[in-house]
Amino acid sequence: MSPQQSSAVRLHIVTGKGGTGKTTVAAALSLALASEGRRVLLVEVEERQGIAQLFETEALPYEERRIASAPGGGEVHALAIDAELAMLDYLDMFYKLGRAGRALKKLGAIDFATTVAPGLRDVLLTGKVCEAVRRKDKAGWPVYDAVVLDAPPTGRITRFLNVNDEVAGLARVGPIHNQAQTVMRVLKSPQTAVHLVTLLEEMPVQETVDGVAELRAAGLPVGAVIVNMVRPVLLEDAALDLVADPAAGGAGKRRTAVAKALSQAGLGGARRGGVAERLVDPLLAQAYEHAERVVLEREQRAEIGELALPVRELELLGDGVDLGGLYRLADSLRKQAVPGFTATKGAAKGKKGPGGKKRAGAGGDSGSDDSGSDRGDGSGSDTGDDGDKV
């Protein structure tokens, strides 16, 4: 396979309803993709510094910076895109404004432009991401094996990605229009997948269903549904059925059986008023709540199943997500197989590209310095297969 060819998904866009943990999933996905020596860029566009918090590092600047290592020698780099600075890059790239552009920023013109024209802001943000996807090293290999975007929530993901419609009223010709068209070619290509993060709850699942419908209607490629914070089922099906139906088996028999079991476990006698007997009602109440939750979660799983998409599940980490927990979630995703991603020739660290040279995009000569920082200004080769600049 030549450096210009790849059948794998290279741009993984992660979205989800607020509170579903989409930033955590995006970070775990980047670690999973970076295993076996691959080089991955994790990008955020909402200026929340969520990536820095998860990886327990200082706030990310507007440059690509290595923030983590993955099993097998892989690397995760991160970029927090600032819309104003991206605008300055854009003005310098297409209009050669240089210092004049910086003067506009001091006057507040850049902030004004990105605020009153949100479509332009989305073009800049997605354009920066697509530039990273398309960037090649001198040998023609992609600088990054994959790019993961921590995208806006499901409610506005289609509008955010469908920048061609957003800029239609701003410019029908010229650099802005060409930029939007180039971005859309990347976003609607087989190398892009939009993954939706959800919980096994009614509102997040309904928003996921609606989001999938909107993405499909816009012609944007949908990847997988990632169910986050999945809690274990503690009772067998027969016990669940018994607990969920108050009339099944008789309440008195259940109380007696539970009291006897507690007594056998050394929690006092099963006599009325004893320790074991006093624990029965609270335990039965918890069992009923658990059974009710399991039934509701199964209904939500069925809703997700009707989408006919790959589904991956991540467990609920009881102590919250620290750096160790993030690696644990990444390992779970890796074992479940990341949808749409397959290793290509030269993807592993140290493998050689054309002419026997070490591949730059996976731990070779990537253009990064010893501090682990890469320029985020498109200073590398940013020409895609069709020769258009992003």
Side-chain angles (χ1 to χ4, degrees):
M1 183 176 289
S2 74
Q4 305 294 337
Q5 296 173 325
S6 175
S7 60
V9 171
R10 296 190 53 246
L11 174 55
H12 297 261
I13 299 170
V14 180
T15 184
K17 178 178 170 58
T20 59
K22 70 176 180 65
T23 300
T24 298
V25 172
L29 179 59
S30 68
L31 283 169
L33 289 167
S35 62
E36 304 305 325
R38 289 184 282 265
R39 196 164 185 259
V40 175
L41 178 65
L42 175 60
V43 183
E44 68 176 11
V45 294
E46 296 182 283
E47 301 180 16
R48 294 186 297 107
Q49 289 293 336
I51 293 174
Q53 295 175 35
L54 282 169
F55 284 95
E56 301 176 3
T57 186
E58 60 186 14
L60 296 174
Y62 181 56
E63 64 180 14
E64 293 161 22
R65 173 171 294 183
R66 184 172 62 247
I67 60 169
S69 298
E75 298 177 348
V76 175
H77 293 236
L79 172 64
I81 301 180
D82 181 291
E84 291 186 33
L85 295 178
M87 181 71 167
L88 289 176
D89 281 349
Y90 179 85
L91 292 173
D92 187 47
M93 180 181 297
F94 289 102
Y95 296 100
K96 309 300 181 185
L97 289 185
R99 292 182 179 178
R102 290 189 287 274
L104 288 173
K105 176 176 171 58
K106 289 182 179 179
L107 293 172
I110 301 298
D111 180 61
F112 176 78
T114 57
T115 300
V116 302
L120 175 59
R121 179 186 178 90
D122 291 349
V123 168
L124 295 169
L125 296 174
T126 53
K128 199 69 179 174
V129 174
C130 290
E131 181 276 324
V133 174
R134 294 158 55 86
R135 196 187 312 158
K136 305 291 196 302
D137 63 19
K138 294 179 180 179
W141 292 98
V143 171
Y144 293 105
D145 296 287
V147 175
V148 178
L149 171 60
D150 177 21
T154 314
R156 74 181 196 93
I157 186 62
T158 301
R159 182 180 178 185
F160 172 76
L161 296 176
N162 207 19
V163 290
N164 188 42
D165 288 343
E166 292 290 340
V167 301
L170 296 175
R172 298 187 182 276
V173 294
I176 294 178
H177 179 79
N178 294 339
Q179 168 88 344
Q181 293 288 348
T182 302
V183 169
M184 290 311 298
R185 280 197 292 273
V186 174
L187 294 179
K188 291 190 174 183
S189 75
Q191 290 194 336
T192 296
V194 183
H195 307 301
L196 295 96
V197 181
T198 189
L199 307 177
L200 290 176
E201 298 174 6
E202 186 175 357
M203 289 184 65
V205 168
Q206 184 58 56
E207 190 160 314
T208 298
V209 172
D210 294 341
V212 169
E214 292 177 2
L215 289 166
R216 285 171 169 168
L220 293 162
V222 183
V225 175
I226 301 176
V227 183
N228 195 23
M229 304 186 214
V230 176
R231 291 174 286 186
V233 177
L234 304 177
L235 299 175
E236 297 179 354
D237 286 350
L240 286 171
D241 292 340
L242 184 65
V243 172
D245 183 1
K253 292 182 179 179
R254 284 201 303 277
R255 285 180 54 81
T256 301
V258 172
K260 184 177 180 181
L262 291 172
S263 177
Q264 292 172 344
L267 294 176
R271 65 186 184 281
R272 183 176 297 277
V275 175
E277 200 273 341
R278 292 199 302 271
L279 292 173
V280 171
D281 286 337
L283 286 173
L284 285 176
Q286 288 186 19
Y288 178 77
E289 291 175 2
H290 176 74
E292 189 176 46
R293 175 177 64 78
V294 170
V295 170
L296 293 174
E297 289 179 347
R298 286 176 177 175
E299 292 175 354
Q300 300 310 312
R301 274 197 178 90
E303 289 281 337
I304 294 171
E306 292 180 2
L307 294 172
L309 292 170
V311 178
R312 303 293 184 265
E313 295 194 358
L314 294 174
E315 65 179 309
L316 173 67
L317 301 180
D319 296 329
V321 181
D322 57 11
L323 191 56
L326 198 60
Y327 275 87
R328 181 174 171 182
L329 295 176
D331 185 58
S332 176
L333 276 176
R334 183 181 59 80
K335 290 178 178 177
Q336 294 180 68
V338 178
F341 187 84
T342 56
T344 57
K345 180 181 178 182
K349 183 177 181 180
K351 288 193 175 182
K352 295 181 179 180
K357 296 181 178 180
K358 182 178 286 188
R359 181 184 176 282
D365 180 15
S366 61
S368 60
D369 58 24
D370 293 339
S371 68
S373 297
D374 301 321
R375 285 176 57 85
D377 56 6
S379 57
S381 172
D382 59 358
T383 302
D385 299 348
D386 54 7
D388 294 329
K389 276 190 173 182
V390 176

Coordinates of all heavy atoms in Angstrom, one line a residue, residues 196-285:
L196 N -20.7 8.2 18.6 CA -21.6 8.9 19.5 C -21.6 8.2 20.9 O -21.7 7.0 21.0 CB -23.1 8.9 19.0 CG -23.3 9.7 17.7 CD1 -23.2 8.8 16.5 CD2 -24.6 10.4 17.7
V197 N -21.3 9.0 21.9 CA -21.2 8.4 23.3 C -22.6 8.6 24.0 O -23.2 9.7 23.9 CB -20.1 9.2 24.1 CG1 -20.0 8.6 25.5 CG2 -18.8 9.1 23.4
T198 N -23.0 7.6 24.7 CA -24.3 7.6 25.4 C -24.2 6.9 26.7 O -23.2 6.2 27.0 CB -25.4 7.0 24.5 OG1 -26.7 7.3 25.1 CG2 -25.2 5.5 24.3
L199 N -25.3 7.0 27.5 CA -25.5 6.2 28.7 C -26.7 5.4 28.4 O -27.5 5.7 27.6 CB -25.7 7.1 29.9 CG -24.6 8.2 30.2 CD1 -25.0 9.0 31.4 CD2 -23.2 7.6 30.4
L200 N -26.9 4.4 29.3 CA -28.1 3.5 29.2 C -29.2 4.2 29.9 O -29.8 3.6 30.8 CB -27.8 2.1 29.7 CG -26.9 1.3 28.8 CD1 -26.6 -0.1 29.5 CD2 -27.5 1.1 27.4
E201 N -29.5 5.4 29.5 CA -30.6 6.2 30.0 C -31.5 6.8 28.9 O -31.0 7.0 27.8 CB -30.1 7.3 30.9 CG -29.3 6.8 32.1 CD -28.7 8.0 32.9 OE1 -28.9 9.1 32.6 OE2 -27.9 7.7 33.8
E202 N -32.7 7.0 29.2 CA -33.7 7.4 28.1 C -33.2 8.7 27.3 O -33.2 8.6 26.1 CB -35.1 7.6 28.7 CG -36.1 7.8 27.6 CD -37.5 7.9 28.2 OE1 -37.7 7.7 29.5 OE2 -38.5 8.2 27.5
M203 N -32.9 9.7 28.0 CA -32.6 11.0 27.3 C -31.3 10.9 26.5 O -31.3 11.3 25.3 CB -32.5 12.2 28.3 CG -33.9 12.6 28.9 SD -33.8 14.0 29.9 CE -33.3 15.3 28.7
P204 N -30.2 10.4 27.0 CA -29.0 10.3 26.2 C -29.2 9.4 25.0 O -28.7 9.6 23.9 CB -28.0 9.7 27.2 CG -28.4 10.1 28.5 CD -29.9 10.1 28.4
V205 N -30.0 8.3 25.2 CA -30.2 7.3 24.1 C -31.1 8.0 23.0 O -30.8 7.9 21.8 CB -30.8 6.0 24.6 CG1 -31.3 5.2 23.4 CG2 -29.8 5.2 25.4
Q206 N -32.1 8.7 23.4 CA -33.0 9.4 22.5 C -32.2 10.5 21.7 O -32.3 10.6 20.5 CB -34.1 10.1 23.2 CG -35.1 10.7 22.2 CD -35.7 9.7 21.2 OE1 -36.3 8.7 21.6 NE2 -35.6 10.0 19.9
E207 N -31.3 11.2 22.4 CA -30.5 12.2 21.7 C -29.5 11.5 20.7 O -29.2 12.0 19.6 CB -29.7 13.0 22.7 CG -29.0 14.2 22.0 CD -28.7 15.3 23.0 OE1 -29.5 15.7 23.9 OE2 -27.5 15.8 23.0
T208 N -29.0 10.3 21.1 CA -28.1 9.6 20.2 C -28.9 9.1 18.9 O -28.4 9.2 17.8 CB -27.6 8.3 20.9 OG1 -26.8 8.7 22.0 CG2 -26.7 7.5 20.0
V209 N -30.1 8.6 19.1 CA -30.9 8.2 18.0 C -31.2 9.4 17.0 O -31.0 9.3 15.8 CB -32.3 7.6 18.5 CG1 -33.2 7.4 17.3 CG2 -32.0 6.3 19.2
D210 N -31.5 10.5 17.6 CA -31.8 11.7 16.8 C -30.5 12.2 16.1 O -30.5 12.6 15.0 CB -32.3 12.9 17.7 CG -33.7 12.6 18.3 OD1 -34.4 11.7 17.7 OD2 -34.1 13.2 19.3
G211 N -29.4 12.1 16.8 CA -28.1 12.5 16.2 C -27.7 11.7 15.1 O -27.2 12.2 14.1
V212 N -27.9 10.4 15.2 CA -27.6 9.5 14.1 C -28.4 9.8 12.9 O -27.9 9.8 11.7 CB -27.8 8.0 14.5 CG1 -27.7 7.1 13.3 CG2 -26.7 7.6 15.5
A213 N -29.7 10.1 13.1 CA -30.6 10.4 12.0 C -30.2 11.7 11.3 O -30.1 11.8 10.0 CB -32.0 10.5 12.5
E214 N -29.8 12.7 12.1 CA -29.3 14.0 11.5 C -28.0 13.8 10.7 O -27.8 14.4 9.6 CB -29.1 15.0 12.6 CG -30.5 15.4 13.2 CD -30.2 16.4 14.4 OE1 -29.1 16.8 14.6 OE2 -31.2 16.8 15.0
L215 N -27.1 13.0 11.3 CA -25.8 12.8 10.6 C -26.0 12.1 9.3 O -25.4 12.4 8.2 CB -24.9 12.0 11.5 CG -24.3 12.8 12.7 CD1 -23.7 11.8 13.7 CD2 -23.3 13.8 12.3
R216 N -26.8 11.1 9.3 CA -27.1 10.3 8.1 C -27.8 11.2 7.0 O -27.5 11.1 5.8 CB -28.0 9.1 8.4 CG -27.2 8.0 9.1 CD -28.1 6.8 9.6 NE -27.3 5.7 10.0 CZ -27.8 4.6 10.7 NH1 -29.1 4.7 11.1 NH2 -27.0 3.6 11.0
A217 N -28.7 12.0 7.5 CA -29.4 12.9 6.5 C -28.4 13.9 5.9 O -28.6 14.3 4.7 CB -30.5 13.6 7.2
A218 N -27.4 14.3 6.6 CA -26.4 15.2 6.1 C -25.3 14.5 5.3 O -24.4 15.2 4.8 CB -25.8 16.0 7.2
G219 N -25.4 13.2 5.2 CA -24.4 12.5 4.5 C -23.0 12.4 5.2 O -22.0 12.1 4.5
L220 N -23.0 12.5 6.5 CA -21.8 12.4 7.3 C -21.7 11.0 7.8 O -22.7 10.4 8.3 CB -21.9 13.4 8.5 CG -21.8 14.9 8.0 CD1 -22.3 15.7 9.2 CD2 -20.4 15.2 7.6
P221 N -20.5 10.4 7.8 CA -20.3 9.0 8.1 C -20.4 8.7 9.6 O -19.7 9.3 10.4 CB -18.9 8.7 7.6 CG -18.2 10.0 7.6 CD -19.2 11.0 7.3
V222 N -21.3 7.8 10.0 CA -21.5 7.5 11.4 C -20.6 6.2 11.7 O -20.6 5.3 10.9 CB -23.0 7.2 11.7 CG1 -23.1 6.9 13.2 CG2 -23.8 8.4 11.3
G223 N -19.9 6.3 12.8 CA -19.1 5.2 13.2 C -19.7 4.2 14.2 O -20.5 3.4 13.8
A224 N -19.5 4.4 15.5 CA -20.0 3.5 16.5 C -20.7 4.2 17.5 O -20.6 5.4 17.7 CB -18.9 2.6 17.1
V225 N -21.6 3.5 18.3 CA -22.2 4.0 19.5 C -21.3 3.4 20.7 O -21.2 2.2 20.8 CB -23.6 3.6 19.6 CG1 -24.2 4.0 21.0 CG2 -24.5 4.2 18.5
I226 N -20.8 4.3 21.5 CA -20.0 3.9 22.6 C -20.8 4.2 23.9 O -21.1 5.3 24.3 CB -18.7 4.7 22.7 CG1 -17.9 4.4 21.4 CG2 -17.9 4.2 23.9 CD1 -16.6 5.2 21.3
V227 N -21.2 3.1 24.6 CA -22.0 3.2 25.8 C -21.1 3.3 27.0 O -20.3 2.4 27.2 CB -22.9 2.0 26.0 CG1 -23.8 2.1 27.2 CG2 -23.8 1.7 24.7
N228 N -21.1 4.4 27.6 CA -20.2 4.7 28.7 C -20.8 4.5 30.1 O -22.1 4.5 30.2 CB -19.8 6.2 28.6 CG -18.5 6.5 29.4 OD1 -17.7 5.6 29.7 ND2 -18.3 7.8 29.8
M229 N -20.0 4.3 31.1 CA -20.4 4.2 32.5 C -21.4 3.0 32.7 O -22.5 3.2 33.3 CB -21.0 5.5 33.0 CG -20.1 6.7 32.9 SD -20.8 8.1 33.7 CE -20.2 9.4 32.6
V230 N -21.1 1.9 32.1 CA -22.0 0.7 32.2 C -21.8 0.0 33.6 O -20.7 -0.3 33.9 CB -21.7 -0.3 31.1 CG1 -22.6 -1.5 31.2 CG2 -22.0 0.4 29.7
R231 N -22.9 -0.1 34.3 CA -22.8 -0.8 35.6 C -23.1 -2.3 35.5 O -23.9 -2.7 34.6 CB -23.9 -0.1 36.5 CG -23.5 1.3 36.9 CD -24.6 2.0 37.7 NE -25.7 2.3 36.9 CZ -26.8 3.0 37.3 NH1 -26.8 3.4 38.6 NH2 -27.8 3.3 36.5
P232 N -22.5 -3.1 36.3 CA -22.7 -4.5 36.2 C -24.0 -5.0 36.7 O -24.7 -4.4 37.5 CB -21.6 -5.1 37.1 CG -21.4 -4.0 38.2 CD -21.6 -2.7 37.4
V233 N -24.5 -6.1 36.1 CA -25.7 -6.8 36.6 C -25.4 -7.7 37.7 O -24.6 -8.7 37.5 CB -26.4 -7.5 35.4 CG1 -27.7 -8.2 35.9 CG2 -26.8 -6.5 34.3
L234 N -25.9 -7.5 38.9 CA -25.5 -8.3 40.0 C -26.4 -9.5 40.3 O -26.0 -10.4 41.1 CB -25.5 -7.4 41.3 CG -24.7 -6.1 41.1 CD1 -24.9 -5.2 42.4 CD2 -23.2 -6.4 40.9
L235 N -27.5 -9.6 39.6 CA -28.4 -10.8 39.9 C -28.6 -11.5 38.6 O -28.6 -11.0 37.5 CB -29.8 -10.3 40.4 CG -29.7 -9.5 41.7 CD1 -31.1 -9.0 42.1 CD2 -29.2 -10.4 42.9
E236 N -28.8 -12.8 38.8 CA -29.1 -13.7 37.6 C -30.5 -13.4 37.2 O -31.4 -12.8 37.9 CB -29.0 -15.2 38.0 CG -27.6 -15.6 38.4 CD -27.5 -17.0 38.8 OE1 -28.5 -17.7 38.8 OE2 -26.3 -17.5 39.0
D237 N -30.9 -13.8 35.9 CA -32.2 -13.5 35.3 C -33.3 -14.0 36.2 O -34.3 -13.3 36.3 CB -32.2 -14.1 33.9 CG -31.4 -13.3 32.9 OD1 -30.9 -12.2 33.3 OD2 -31.2 -13.8 31.8
A238 N -33.2 -15.2 36.7 CA -34.3 -15.7 37.5 C -34.5 -14.8 38.8 O -35.7 -14.5 39.1 CB -34.0 -17.1 37.9
A239 N -33.5 -14.4 39.4 CA -33.6 -13.6 40.6 C -34.1 -12.2 40.2 O -35.0 -11.6 40.9 CB -32.2 -13.4 41.3
L240 N -33.7 -11.7 39.1 CA -34.2 -10.4 38.6 C -35.7 -10.5 38.4 O -36.5 -9.6 38.8 CB -33.5 -10.0 37.3 CG -32.1 -9.5 37.5 CD1 -31.5 -9.3 36.1 CD2 -32.1 -8.2 38.2
D241 N -36.2 -11.5 37.7 CA -37.6 -11.7 37.5 C -38.4 -11.8 38.8 O -39.5 -11.2 38.9 CB -37.9 -12.9 36.6 CG -37.3 -12.8 35.2 OD1 -37.1 -11.6 34.8 OD2 -37.1 -13.8 34.5
L242 N -37.8 -12.5 39.7 CA -38.5 -12.7 41.0 C -38.6 -11.4 41.8 O -39.7 -11.0 42.3 CB -37.7 -13.7 41.9 CG -38.4 -14.1 43.2 CD1 -39.7 -14.8 43.0 CD2 -37.4 -15.0 44.0
V243 N -37.5 -10.6 41.8 CA -37.5 -9.3 42.5 C -38.4 -8.3 41.8 O -39.1 -7.5 42.5 CB -36.0 -8.8 42.7 CG1 -36.0 -7.4 43.2 CG2 -35.2 -9.8 43.5
A244 N -38.3 -8.3 40.5 CA -39.0 -7.2 39.8 C -40.6 -7.4 39.9 O -41.3 -6.4 39.7 CB -38.6 -7.2 38.3
D245 N -41.0 -8.6 40.1 CA -42.5 -8.9 40.2 C -42.8 -9.1 41.7 O -42.6 -10.1 42.2 CB -42.8 -10.1 39.4 CG -44.4 -10.3 39.4 OD1 -45.1 -9.5 40.0 OD2 -44.8 -11.3 38.8
P246 N -43.4 -8.1 42.3 CA -43.8 -8.2 43.8 C -44.7 -9.4 44.1 O -44.6 -10.0 45.2 CB -44.5 -6.9 44.1 CG -44.0 -6.0 43.0 CD -43.9 -6.8 41.8
A247 N -45.5 -9.9 43.1 CA -46.4 -11.0 43.4 C -45.8 -12.3 43.2 O -46.3 -13.3 43.6 CB -47.6 -10.8 42.5
A248 N -44.6 -12.3 42.5 CA -44.0 -13.6 42.1 C -43.4 -14.3 43.4 O -42.6 -13.7 44.1 CB -42.9 -13.4 41.1
G249 N -43.8 -15.5 43.6 CA -43.3 -16.3 44.7 C -43.7 -15.9 46.1 O -43.5 -16.6 47.1
G250 N -44.5 -14.8 46.2 CA -44.9 -14.4 47.5 C -43.9 -13.6 48.3 O -42.8 -14.0 48.5
A251 N -44.3 -12.4 48.8 CA -43.4 -11.5 49.5 C -42.9 -12.2 50.8 O -41.7 -12.0 51.1 CB -44.1 -10.2 49.8
G252 N -43.8 -12.9 51.4 CA -43.4 -13.5 52.7 C -42.3 -14.5 52.5 O -41.4 -14.6 53.3
K253 N -42.4 -15.3 51.5 CA -41.4 -16.4 51.2 C -40.0 -15.7 50.9 O -39.0 -16.2 51.4 CB -41.8 -17.3 50.1 CG -43.0 -18.2 50.4 CD -43.3 -19.1 49.2 CE -44.5 -20.0 49.5 NZ -44.8 -20.8 48.3
R254 N -40.1 -14.6 50.2 CA -38.8 -13.9 49.8 C -38.2 -13.4 51.1 O -36.9 -13.5 51.3 CB -39.1 -12.8 48.8 CG -39.3 -13.3 47.4 CD -39.0 -12.2 46.4 NE -39.8 -11.0 46.6 CZ -41.0 -10.8 46.2 NH1 -41.6 -11.8 45.5 NH2 -41.7 -9.7 46.5
R255 N -39.0 -12.8 52.0 CA -38.4 -12.2 53.2 C -37.8 -13.3 54.1 O -36.7 -13.1 54.6 CB -39.6 -11.5 54.0 CG -40.0 -10.2 53.4 CD -41.1 -9.6 54.3 NE -40.7 -9.5 55.7 CZ -39.9 -8.5 56.2 NH1 -39.5 -7.6 55.4 NH2 -39.6 -8.6 57.5
T256 N -38.5 -14.4 54.2 CA -38.0 -15.5 55.0 C -36.7 -16.1 54.4 O -35.7 -16.3 55.2 CB -39.0 -16.7 55.1 OG1 -40.2 -16.1 55.6 CG2 -38.5 -17.8 55.9
A257 N -36.6 -16.2 53.1 CA -35.4 -16.7 52.4 C -34.2 -15.8 52.6 O -33.1 -16.3 52.9 CB -35.7 -17.0 50.9
V258 N -34.5 -14.5 52.5 CA -33.4 -13.5 52.7 C -32.9 -13.5 54.1 O -31.7 -13.5 54.4 CB -33.8 -12.1 52.2 CG1 -32.8 -11.1 52.6 CG2 -34.1 -12.1 50.7
A259 N -33.8 -13.5 55.1 CA -33.5 -13.5 56.5 C -32.6 -14.8 56.8 O -31.6 -14.7 57.6 CB -34.7 -13.5 57.4
K260 N -33.0 -15.9 56.3 CA -32.3 -17.2 56.5 C -30.9 -17.1 55.9 O -29.9 -17.5 56.6 CB -33.1 -18.3 55.9 CG -32.4 -19.7 56.2 CD -33.3 -20.8 55.7 CE -32.7 -22.2 56.0 NZ -33.5 -23.3 55.4
A261 N -30.8 -16.5 54.7 CA -29.5 -16.4 54.1 C -28.5 -15.5 54.9 O -27.3 -15.8 55.1 CB -29.6 -15.9 52.7
L262 N -29.1 -14.4 55.4 CA -28.3 -13.5 56.2 C -27.9 -14.1 57.5 O -26.7 -13.9 58.0 CB -29.1 -12.2 56.5 CG -29.4 -11.3 55.3 CD1 -30.4 -10.2 55.7 CD2 -28.1 -10.7 54.8
S263 N -28.7 -14.9 58.1 CA -28.4 -15.6 59.3 C -27.3 -16.6 59.1 O -26.3 -16.7 59.9 CB -29.6 -16.3 59.9 OG -29.3 -17.1 61.0
Q264 N -27.3 -17.3 58.0 CA -26.3 -18.3 57.6 C -25.0 -17.6 57.3 O -23.9 -18.2 57.5 CB -26.7 -19.1 56.4 CG -27.9 -20.1 56.7 CD -28.4 -20.7 55.5 OE1 -28.1 -20.3 54.4 NE2 -29.2 -21.8 55.7
A265 N -25.1 -16.3 57.0 CA -23.8 -15.6 56.7 C -23.2 -15.0 58.0 O -22.2 -14.3 57.9 CB -24.1 -14.4 55.7
G266 N -23.9 -15.3 59.1 CA -23.3 -14.8 60.4 C -23.8 -13.5 60.8 O -23.2 -12.9 61.7
L267 N -24.9 -13.0 60.3 CA -25.5 -11.7 60.6 C -26.6 -11.8 61.6 O -27.6 -11.1 61.6 CB -25.9 -11.0 59.4 CG -24.8 -10.6 58.4 CD1 -25.4 -9.9 57.2 CD2 -23.8 -9.7 59.1
G268 N -26.5 -12.7 62.6 CA -27.5 -12.9 63.6 C -28.6 -13.9 63.2 O -28.6 -14.4 62.1
G269 N -29.4 -14.2 64.2 CA -30.5 -15.1 63.9 C -31.6 -14.6 63.0 O -31.7 -13.4 62.9
A270 N -32.4 -15.5 62.5 CA -33.4 -15.0 61.5 C -34.7 -14.7 62.3 O -35.7 -14.5 61.6 CB -33.7 -16.1 60.5
R271 N -34.7 -14.7 63.6 CA -35.9 -14.5 64.4 C -36.4 -13.1 64.1 O -35.6 -12.2 63.8 CB -35.7 -14.7 65.9 CG -34.7 -13.7 66.5 CD -34.3 -14.1 67.9 NE -33.5 -13.1 68.5 CZ -32.2 -13.0 68.3 NH1 -31.6 -13.9 67.5 NH2 -31.4 -12.1 68.9
R272 N -37.7 -12.8 64.4 CA -38.3 -11.5 64.2 C -37.6 -10.5 65.1 O -37.4 -10.8 66.3 CB -39.8 -11.6 64.5 CG -40.5 -10.2 64.3 CD -42.0 -10.4 64.5 NE -42.6 -11.4 63.6 CZ -42.9 -11.1 62.3 NH1 -42.8 -9.8 61.9 NH2 -43.4 -12.0 61.5
G273 N -37.2 -9.4 64.6 CA -36.6 -8.3 65.4 C -35.1 -8.5 65.4 O -34.4 -7.6 65.9
G274 N -34.5 -9.6 64.9 CA -33.1 -9.8 65.0 C -32.4 -8.9 63.9 O -33.0 -8.3 63.1
V275 N -31.0 -9.0 64.0 CA -30.2 -8.2 63.0 C -30.5 -8.6 61.6 O -30.8 -7.7 60.7 CB -28.7 -8.3 63.3 CG1 -27.9 -7.6 62.3 CG2 -28.4 -7.8 64.7
A276 N -30.6 -9.9 61.3 CA -30.8 -10.3 60.0 C -32.2 -9.9 59.5 O -32.3 -9.5 58.3 CB -30.7 -11.9 59.9
E277 N -33.2 -10.0 60.4 CA -34.5 -9.7 60.0 C -34.7 -8.2 59.7 O -35.4 -7.8 58.7 CB -35.5 -10.1 61.1 CG -37.0 -10.2 60.6 CD -37.7 -8.9 60.7 OE1 -37.2 -8.0 61.4 OE2 -38.8 -8.8 60.0
R278 N -33.9 -7.3 60.4 CA -34.0 -5.9 60.2 C -33.3 -5.5 58.9 O -33.6 -4.4 58.3 CB -33.3 -5.1 61.3 CG -34.1 -5.3 62.7 CD -33.7 -4.2 63.6 NE -32.3 -4.2 63.9 CZ -31.7 -4.9 64.9 NH1 -32.5 -5.6 65.7 NH2 -30.4 -4.8 65.2
L279 N -32.4 -6.3 58.3 CA -31.7 -6.0 57.1 C -32.5 -6.4 55.9 O -32.2 -6.0 54.7 CB -30.4 -6.7 57.0 CG -29.3 -6.2 58.0 CD1 -28.1 -7.1 57.9 CD2 -28.9 -4.8 57.7
V280 N -33.6 -7.2 56.0 CA -34.3 -7.7 54.9 C -34.9 -6.6 54.1 O -34.8 -6.6 52.8 CB -35.4 -8.7 55.4 CG1 -36.3 -9.1 54.2 CG2 -34.7 -9.9 56.0
D281 N -35.7 -5.7 54.7 CA -36.4 -4.7 53.9 C -35.5 -3.8 53.1 O -35.7 -3.6 51.9 CB -37.3 -3.9 54.8 CG -38.6 -4.7 55.2 OD1 -38.9 -5.7 54.5 OD2 -39.2 -4.3 56.3
P282 N -34.4 -3.3 53.7 CA -33.5 -2.5 52.9 C -32.9 -3.2 51.7 O -32.7 -2.7 50.6 CB -32.4 -2.0 53.9 CG -33.1 -2.1 55.2 CD -34.1 -3.3 55.1
L283 N -32.5 -4.5 52.0 CA -31.9 -5.3 50.9 C -32.9 -5.6 49.8 O -32.6 -5.5 48.6 CB -31.4 -6.6 51.5 CG -30.1 -6.5 52.3 CD1 -29.7 -7.8 52.9 CD2 -28.9 -6.0 51.4
L284 N -34.1 -5.9 50.1 CA -35.1 -6.1 49.1 C -35.4 -4.9 48.3 O -35.6 -4.9 47.1 CB -36.4 -6.7 49.8 CG -36.4 -8.1 50.2 CD1 -37.7 -8.5 50.9 CD2 -36.1 -9.1 49.0
A285 N -35.4 -3.7 49.0 CA -35.6 -2.4 48.3 C -34.5 -2.2 47.3 O -34.8 -1.8 46.2 CB -35.7 -1.3 49.3

